[in-house]
Amino acid sequence: MNIGEKIRRIRSFRGMTQKELGIALGLKGDPQTRIAQYETGYRVPKRDLILRMAEVLDVCVYALDSENEGSSTVMIEMLFWADVESPSILTLATAKRNDKKYNSVMGYEIEYTDNDDWMPREPTMLWFNHIIVNDALREWAIRQQELRDKIITRDEYFEWKLQWPYSCDDCGRVEPVKKWRGTTGRLWRNGRPAT
């Protein structure tokens, strides 16, 4: 997903028009046209504008642009946006450790319980031997399960991803830096900032 599509989705989620976003950013001339140009890919915002946009839209800058960050951040954001475009494409689950010893041969086996929701073939599992990616995916698996169990709303789920990594709570062990539970996503209502 390109930056223009991300701007459009986040702006819409926040309940802002193109004009409102342009004015909030202090764009000169016709602010609505400028935002439309960014959203359609006709223009690409410079880094300083991306930083201001993240602030105005109240998202972590990674949600808009992770290009200049480390490879693990780029990968997580890419997966987050794939999940936004096709919500059923990614399903995460945590594995349970087997205490059996395997001598010098590493053995991997992940079991699943078959049900009508599975695809026709057995799923292929993937994991990362990278602590940041693994921790992010573990917490994401928890958020997906909370969404399936209706503990959180789809808006809260999207908000959690927009605020990542500041929304992380280390799987319930710490308070997140950025609150996301109970949010509606809307910053603007009826052409005015929401209170």
Side-chain angles (χ1 to χ4, degrees):
M1 181 177 289
N2 67 39
I3 190 165
E5 292 167 338
K6 292 175 184 179
I7 293 167
R8 182 185 54 77
R9 283 190 185 250
I10 296 169
R11 176 189 55 75
S12 296
F13 180 68
R14 293 295 188 221
M16 297 177 85
T17 65
Q18 291 174 333
K19 185 176 182 178
E20 289 167 341
L21 177 56
I23 290 169
L25 290 168
L27 298 180
K28 305 292 185 221
D30 182 358
Q32 181 174 349
T33 300
R34 280 275 295 283
I35 296 300
Q37 290 172 337
Y38 294 137
E39 290 181 358
T40 59
Y42 183 74
R43 294 176 78 160
V44 178
K46 294 183 178 162
R47 184 75 177 161
D48 64 322
L49 183 58
I50 292 170
L51 294 171
R52 285 197 343 253
M53 238 182 245
E55 188 175 320
V56 167
L57 291 170
D58 190 30
V59 297
C60 177
V61 70
Y62 303 152
L64 287 171
D65 178 32
S66 56
E67 184 178 307
N68 297 323
E69 307 307 325
S71 61
S72 58
T73 302
V74 172
M75 183 172 31
I76 294 295
E77 285 298 332
M78 182 184 72
L79 293 171
F80 280 171
W81 285 107
D83 184 52
V84 169
E85 286 185 323
S86 302
S88 62
I89 200 168
L90 295 168
T91 302
L92 294 133
T94 55
K96 303 249 187 273
R97 184 180 191 108
N98 182 339
D99 290 330
K100 295 178 188 173
K101 302 294 182 205
Y102 286 100
N103 295 331
S104 62
V105 178
M106 293 182 79
Y108 300 108
E109 183 177 315
I110 298 175
E111 295 181 4
Y112 70 99
T113 304
D114 199 4
N115 63 39
D116 292 338
D117 294 336
W118 284 100
M119 54 192 145
R121 292 186 183 84
E122 295 172 336
T124 301
M125 304 293 182
L126 170 71
W127 69 89
F128 298 88
N129 192 14
H130 187 284
I131 194 159
I132 293 170
V133 174
N134 196 48
D135 286 353
L137 293 177
R138 180 181 299 112
E139 188 156 334
W140 189 9
I142 291 169
R143 298 302 159 247
Q144 274 193 349
Q145 188 62 50
E146 288 175 339
L147 180 63
R148 286 191 294 272
D149 293 344
K150 298 184 179 4
I151 294 169
I152 61 174
T153 66
R154 182 147 300 277
D155 282 354
E156 288 173 314
Y157 178 65
F158 189 45
E159 186 72 43
W160 177 82
K161 290 188 285 185
L162 291 176
Q163 300 297 345
W164 182 86
Y166 303 110
S167 56
C168 293
D169 65 3
D170 197 19
C171 301
R173 291 190 283 264
V174 299
E175 274 300 307
V177 172
K178 190 76 173 177
K179 300 285 185 196
W180 57 273
R181 290 183 188 269
T183 60
T184 64
R186 303 193 69 71
L187 295 177
W188 288 69
R189 286 195 179 84
N190 303 323
R192 296 184 186 162
T195 53

